Amino acid sequence: MKINNIKQLIAVAAIGLLTACGSPAPDAVLLQPGVSRELAQYRKEHFGDVRYHLFFSIPESREEAVTGKAEIVLSLREKQPLIIDFRGEPAQVASVLLNGKQTPYTVKDEHIVIEAGEVAAGENRVAIEFTANDQSLNRRDEFLYTLLVPDRARTLFPCFDQPDMKSLFTLSLEVPAAWQAVANGAVEQVDSMTIAGRRRILFRETEPLSTYLFSFVAGKLTRETFSRDGRHISIYHRETDPKKAAQCPEIASEVFDALEWQENYTGIPYPFAKYDLIILPGFQFGGMEHTGATLYTDGRMFLNENPTLNERLSRSALIAHETSHMWFGDFVTMEWFNDVWTKEVFANYYASQMVEPLFPDVNHSLNFMLDYIPGAYSEDRTAGANPVKQDLANMCDAGLMYGNIIYDKSPVVMAMLIRMMGKDAFRKGIQEYLKTYAYGNATWDGLISILDNYTDRDLKAWSHVWINEKGMPEIRSEVKGDSLIVTQSDPCGRGLRWPQVVTYAVITDSRTDRVSVSLGSDGNVSKTLVPALDAGPQKNSPDQSVVYTAGSVWVPNADGTGYGFFRVGEKELDGLMSVLKTHPDEVLRGSLLITLYENLLNQTIPAGRYMDAMLDYLPGEKNSLLFSAALGYIGNCQRLYPSAPEKLEQVLWQIVTTAEQPQYRLQAFRQYRSIARSPEAVARLYALWQDRKAPAGCSLSENDYIGLSYRLALLMPKKADEVVATQQSRITNPDRKRQYAFISPSVSPRKEVRDSVFASLLVAENRRVEPWASAALANLNSPLRQQEAVAYIRPALEAMQEIQRTGDIFFPRNWASALLGGHTSAEARKEVDDFFAAHPDYPVLLANKIRQQADHLYRLHD
């Protein structure tokens, strides 16, 4: 093990002392909040054969505490302190029995510690009665669900909260008689209790699971069961809209398809007893891959009556993603959360492959690029960029591993790896990997060692720059004489070389030729022979009659497989926009859209010219994926570089009212709603909302009207109360009514109300439903109110460490995004600067989340 600092050195020495002496004081294991890497390694080496028998008593009222009992069975190599993770107050531990007898214990630094003299070598049984924390129970009025990723299991029950101590779980729940319950294991037995209105449900023992995958859901739920070829799936939900609930058969069908795809690809049958799924309102992730009790958010699963292609693709990809996790993450799990990306990369990459047969008319190369490249760039271009594989000293920081780098950059990198190896060789390596680590834990290095046997390429050297280093290259190109000269440089000044093949398209009149350039193997400059400009036919020309002239357009990254900032200039804009409007290659156009937007952000292209060119292009785009991407870029340009809205409003409304495709009308309307500022546009939106009469061919959902009501309340303060009250009365679903009641005060025209909402969000209890809290914070910091909202920035940043401690994995990022995304002023940037100046030693992982979301402020005011 590499020793990086004094603290590690002390920890290693302490563990060595513990092993040698057998019974030192518990503090010798470097007890500290969370689960340190050293403690995790020690327990993995010395504790084994762990099994959990868990019981929870769940009251109907969420004001009453959930109590429980955990019996932990394990074997110890020798007599030594028994350190069990539990994040709670000492008073929450009611009793501890060791091997059937009361035993002394201490609760310290998020651990229950039993001294070495009390334990036995060999098998031990620890029975702990406790009161659970509500943090990971996600309690609502009529249901609750556990969400324990990555290190929240210890907030719910005493355990060994590290991913490499896989264990068997049995569970018993006592719930209100009117409630249903779902868990990892199948239901074994249901008993009515003598106490009126209660029943007990016993679930069968699970396969080996990491603690973060343990889960149960209980509450008033509707259950529907579907079957195919002897396999059964139950879907649990709370949806009251019959048109949305009617989508359950389609959802089940896509789950069946995904299971069959992975079984065929991996050669391994579904490795768990069952696949049930629960669709929940206000769930804070898209989904979570608990075996036997996979959770999904209703907003992604139950689509509106006329969903866009993007919404349909998104749902299918989400189902494929969570289903892929059954093999990649659940069956084979990372050893430590610094490698969490190794489960997310497979889930996202394979999801992109699994949706292909479901959408035969979609250009899936284009969809892959648009799904992952922009998201990866959004973090990799910032001062908060991080490597794919990060350092993690303690599980308490594991949630900060998550972000667009692991979800979006890693699939792009994986695609590069597969192109290097070949699909067949890669598949064989993956099948070996799964069989080698079945029901166990693996590392990226272990996977690379296996894949190395299937290729003659140096994968370890390739992996270093793409996996272990942050950021991306800046790539420039120019034609000199008979050569295309492509240069990549490291913006961070490390002199890194990113090995990759970059394709350029040279377009002359109606002809397109491709030039591939290999970068990074021998240096950061590559020269490739091409026909000379203005030199007439060349012997190396693919067609002796072709002449490349000064009017030829060179398009970088024409196939969309390269990764980096491809710099172009204003003088090239007209030619590139002409290609964007007319070229038949959809992938080339998509890559060009991304390149132009990145250059807008890097200010090599003036915002005014960019906006004019994009508005000229947008109405003629016939590919729905490209249309959607361009629409998003136009909206971002208006947000970051505001201009008079009339022309943009006019173009968008024309699409809303005249586009041939209904989804174009709907998407344009949503963008129109978000940018509308002129009196004419505001009046139009108000009349539309008031009458609930959308333009012909533009079908609006309840969510569309809800979003419109928030926007109108911001735009029309004198009518805000009326709009909110009317919209509240229109909502019938009880979960959505509660959601609207929570969020709507954030658009109040009264500053004292908004200040009260902000103050309430600083209290952890009021952030329990994280999507609602994020939506409210974003409304408070709307671009329409950013001048007043600057005062929220500093206190909200000061709360970030508590946000991390009390929230789930995506919440720190979402909090920072909701806080900063609507701001563009120099005053807002100063608030961020002042915050970091006041906290020079701020935790790096958390600081990165802030810097990623503040990136636009630094670009605007550099």
Side-chain angles (χ1 to χ4, degrees), residues 110-170:
E110 302 183 3
H111 305 287
I112 300 171
V113 182
I114 301 173
E115 298 286 355
E118 305 295 326
V119 305
E123 184 175 275
N124 288 263
R125 289 178 175 266
V126 186
I128 304 173
E129 294 184 7
F130 59 93
T131 299
N133 287 313
D134 276 354
Q135 177 180 352
S136 299
L137 280 166
N138 297 281
R139 300 178 75 178
R140 312 279 182 86
D141 288 336
E142 295 182 334
F143 68 98
L144 60 78
Y145 59 93
T146 65
L147 184 61
L148 307 182
V149 61
D151 69 327
R152 297 297 194 254
R154 59 195 168 85
T155 70
L156 180 63
F157 63 95
C159 61
F160 304 114
D161 204 5
Q162 56 191 80
D164 61 342
M165 289 188 70
K166 286 194 167 183
S167 311
L168 305 178
F169 292 81
T170 57

Side-chain angles (χ1 to χ4, degrees), residues 513-704:
D513 291 307
R514 309 268 174 160
V515 179
S516 293
V517 181
S518 181
L519 287 172
S521 55
D522 299 319
N524 280 335
V525 179
S526 179
K527 291 185 178 182
T528 300
L529 194 65
V530 298
L533 296 178
D534 292 323
Q538 302 291 310
K539 63 181 179 180
N540 58 316
S541 172
D543 184 333
Q544 295 296 307
S545 64
V546 173
V547 177
Y548 294 99
T549 69
S552 298
V553 180
W554 290 81
V555 180
N557 199 24
D559 61 357
T561 62
Y563 188 88
F565 169 49
F566 293 87
R567 180 179 285 271
V568 298
E570 182 178 2
K571 60 184 176 61
E572 301 163 80
L573 181 59
D574 288 342
L576 292 173
M577 288 305 303
S578 175
V579 170
L580 184 63
K581 289 179 63 176
T582 61
H583 203 278
D585 187 329
E586 294 171 338
V587 172
L588 183 149
R589 298 206 309 275
S591 181
L592 186 50
L593 269 178
I594 296 169
T595 295
L596 291 171
Y597 181 68
E598 292 298 312
N599 278 271
L600 169 72
L601 295 183
N602 281 278
Q603 299 182 16
T604 67
I605 297 174
R609 286 200 62 197
Y610 175 86
M611 178 65 85
D612 287 343
M614 290 293 288
L615 291 180
D616 184 48
Y617 148 75
L618 181 68
E621 180 54 72
K622 302 301 182 185
N623 181 284
S624 59
L625 297 178
L626 293 175
F627 178 87
S628 178
L631 198 60
Y633 285 148
I634 286 170
N636 287 345
C637 181
Q638 179 66 13
R639 176 176 62 89
L640 295 175
Y641 310 98
S643 58
E646 286 80 7
K647 180 178 179 181
L648 175 54
E649 291 172 351
Q650 181 182 1
V651 171
L652 292 178
W653 192 252
Q654 184 177 8
I655 295 172
V656 170
T657 55
T658 64
E660 294 181 5
Q661 296 191 41
Q663 66 173 328
Y664 280 26
R665 296 188 178 208
L666 178 58
Q667 289 173 302
F669 172 81
R670 290 170 177 169
Q671 191 64 266
Y672 181 86
R673 178 186 66 192
S674 72
I675 60 92
R677 296 290 293 274
S678 71
E680 179 185 1
V682 174
R684 175 183 284 150
L685 288 176
Y686 178 71
L688 185 155
W689 170 84
Q690 194 173 36
D691 297 337
R692 283 186 280 185
K693 187 175 181 181
C698 182
S699 177
L700 300 185
S701 68
E702 180 182 56
N703 285 335
D704 288 314

Side-chain angles (χ1 to χ4, degrees), residues 372-626:
Y372 299 130
I373 293 283
Y377 285 175
S378 72
E379 292 185 3
D380 225 10
R381 72 166 91 93
T382 74
N386 57 263
V388 173
K389 182 172 184 176
Q390 304 173 69
D391 293 329
L392 179 64
N394 191 303
M395 281 290 293
C396 66
D397 289 326
L400 297 177
M401 299 291 101
Y402 290 81
N404 290 359
I405 299 300
I406 72 163
Y407 281 101
D408 296 328
K409 183 177 180 178
S410 65
V412 176
V413 173
M414 184 63 69
M416 292 182 184
L417 175 60
I418 295 170
R419 286 193 296 272
M420 287 170 53
M421 292 186 62
K423 289 185 177 181
D424 291 342
F426 181 78
R427 181 179 181 182
K428 291 176 182 177
I430 290 301
Q431 290 178 340
E432 180 182 338
Y433 164 79
L434 290 172
K435 291 174 182 176
T436 301
Y437 296 105
Y439 294 111
N441 299 86
T443 65
W444 170 249
D445 291 339
L447 172 59
I448 283 293
S449 294
I450 289 174
L451 295 180
D452 258 334
N453 297 324
Y454 293 89
T455 181
D456 56 1
R457 302 291 293 269
D458 185 353
L459 297 186
K460 291 181 180 179
W462 170 87
S463 173
H464 172 74
V465 69
W466 285 108
I467 303 302
N468 297 331
E469 298 286 352
K470 69 178 183 179
M472 58 183 178
E474 178 176 322
I475 301 174
R476 302 181 183 226
S477 61
E478 62 177 329
V479 175
K480 286 188 177 180
D482 61 355
S483 295
L484 171 65
I485 302 174
V486 181
T487 305
Q488 68 170 345
S489 59
D490 180 1
C492 297
R494 297 158 297 179
L496 291 180
R497 299 174 179 177
W498 284 264
Q500 60 178 318
V501 176
V502 176
T503 299
Y504 284 77
V506 56
I507 301 168
T508 303
D509 298 326
S510 61
R511 182 186 178 99
T512 301
D513 291 307
R514 309 268 174 160
V515 179
S516 293
V517 181
S518 181
L519 287 172
S521 55
D522 299 319
N524 280 335
V525 179
S526 179
K527 291 185 178 182
T528 300
L529 194 65
V530 298
L533 296 178
D534 292 323
Q538 302 291 310
K539 63 181 179 180
N540 58 316
S541 172
D543 184 333
Q544 295 296 307
S545 64
V546 173
V547 177
Y548 294 99
T549 69
S552 298
V553 180
W554 290 81
V555 180
N557 199 24
D559 61 357
T561 62
Y563 188 88
F565 169 49
F566 293 87
R567 180 179 285 271
V568 298
E570 182 178 2
K571 60 184 176 61
E572 301 163 80
L573 181 59
D574 288 342
L576 292 173
M577 288 305 303
S578 175
V579 170
L580 184 63
K581 289 179 63 176
T582 61
H583 203 278
D585 187 329
E586 294 171 338
V587 172
L588 183 149
R589 298 206 309 275
S591 181
L592 186 50
L593 269 178
I594 296 169
T595 295
L596 291 171
Y597 181 68
E598 292 298 312
N599 278 271
L600 169 72
L601 295 183
N602 281 278
Q603 299 182 16
T604 67
I605 297 174
R609 286 200 62 197
Y610 175 86
M611 178 65 85
D612 287 343
M614 290 293 288
L615 291 180
D616 184 48
Y617 148 75
L618 181 68
E621 180 54 72
K622 302 301 182 185
N623 181 284
S624 59
L625 297 178
L626 293 175

